[in-house]
Amino acid sequence: MKLVVGLGNIGKEYENTRHNTGFMVLDHLAEQEKLTFSGPRQEAMLAKFHYQNSTVLLAKPTTYMNESGRSVKKLLNYYDLTTQDLLVVHDDLDLSTGQLRLRERGSAGGHNGIKSIIAAVGGQNFKRIRVGIDHPNQISVVDWVLSKFAAKQQEQIMQGIDQAVAAIRFWLTTDDFAAAMNQFNHKGK
C-alpha cells in the first residue's frame, strides 16, 4: 500500500487557498479516479483505490496544517506502513506558481506541516512533491498562504496540479521516485 498525503486546512474558509494546494492535488486525482473522500478516520479524510499493482490511500488530514504529523503518524501505524510508503504533497513559497520540486527527503524548509510530520515520524526520510505558490511581495506570509490564487495565476496552478497528479501516477507506476524526480523537476516559467 502507498499513502499519499495532501496538506491543507479543513473548512470552507480555506478552500482553494494557496496553503491548501496539497488538498487540491488530491482532490484532482480523486476526481479523475471517480473517488469520494470519507471519514474522518485517523484524523484524515480518506479515499482508496487500486492503481497498477498497488493499493493507494489518499489522505487529507483534518488536524489543520500545523498538526498534520499527528494524522500521518496514526495512518502509518494503523495501516502498518513505513515512511518508504509515504508521499506528501504540499505548497512551497520558494517556487513560482505551479512549479514542482520532488524530493526524497530533506528539511521542512520553514513549512509547518512538514515540520509536524518530521517530528511525528521521527525523521526527514519521506518523499515530497512541493507545488509552488510564489512568495508574497507586499503582504505577510500568513496572509499570503491563506489567500486564494489571483485570476492570472489560475492557469499556472492548474498546470502545476496536473503535473503533480502525473508525478504521483508516475511514481505509482514505476515505484521509482528518483526517476520521477528526473522527469518532473524542471524550472517553471
Side-chain angles (χ1 to χ4, degrees):
M1 177 182 277
K2 302 292 186 191
L3 173 61
V4 182
V5 176
L7 298 187
N9 287 309
I10 58 168
K12 282 273 190 212
E13 66 271 30
Y14 299 111
E15 283 182 9
N16 299 314
T17 60
R18 289 176 174 85
H19 224 17
N20 273 31
T21 300
F23 279 12
M24 293 162 66
V25 170
L26 264 58
D27 287 341
H28 193 58
L29 177 54
E31 182 180 314
Q32 289 178 358
E33 293 292 326
K34 297 176 177 45
L35 303 173
T36 303
F37 283 91
S38 63
R41 289 184 305 250
Q42 311 308 322
E43 295 190 83
M45 300 302 292
L46 303 174
K48 190 187 294 188
F49 70 108
H50 296 282
Y51 189 78
Q52 305 292 335
N53 295 321
S54 292
T55 299
V56 182
L57 183 65
L58 303 179
K60 299 190 303 185
T62 58
T63 56
Y64 292 102
M65 183 68 76
N66 295 354
E67 297 291 329
S68 298
R70 197 170 71 220
S71 174
V72 171
K73 181 69 172 170
K74 286 181 177 186
L75 289 163
L76 291 173
N77 288 341
Y78 184 82
Y79 290 99
D80 196 27
L81 301 172
T82 71
T83 54
Q84 291 302 307
D85 306 308
L86 173 63
L87 172 63
V88 178
V89 185
H90 65 93
D91 61 292
D92 193 299
L93 286 166
D94 295 324
L95 299 172
S96 61
T97 300
Q99 182 183 353
L100 298 188
R101 185 69 65 226
L102 282 64
R103 291 285 180 255
E104 289 189 280
R105 65 188 59 81
S107 71
H111 194 286
N112 289 332
I114 297 298
K115 282 181 193 174
S116 174
I117 294 170
I118 289 170
V121 304
Q124 302 176 358
N125 293 327
F126 56 90
K127 298 163 197 68
R128 304 108 193 261
I129 297 178
R130 298 162 35 203
V131 183
I133 62 168
D134 263 331
H135 207 282
N137 291 326
Q138 306 283 329
I139 65 174
S140 74
V141 168
V142 171
D143 289 340
W144 179 256
V145 300
L146 296 179
S147 67
K148 296 183 187 301
F149 290 96
K152 64 183 179 182
Q153 296 173 314
Q154 288 299 319
E155 184 178 341
Q156 293 169 303
I157 194 58
M158 283 314 300
Q159 287 174 354
I161 289 169
D162 284 339
Q163 284 296 294
V165 168
I168 293 167
R169 290 184 184 282
F170 185 97
W171 172 59
L172 293 173
T173 300
T174 64
D175 200 25
D176 186 344
F177 202 72
M181 289 167 55
N182 288 334
Q183 179 80 19
F184 292 93
N185 283 347
H186 51 81
K187 295 284 185 203
K189 294 176 185 174

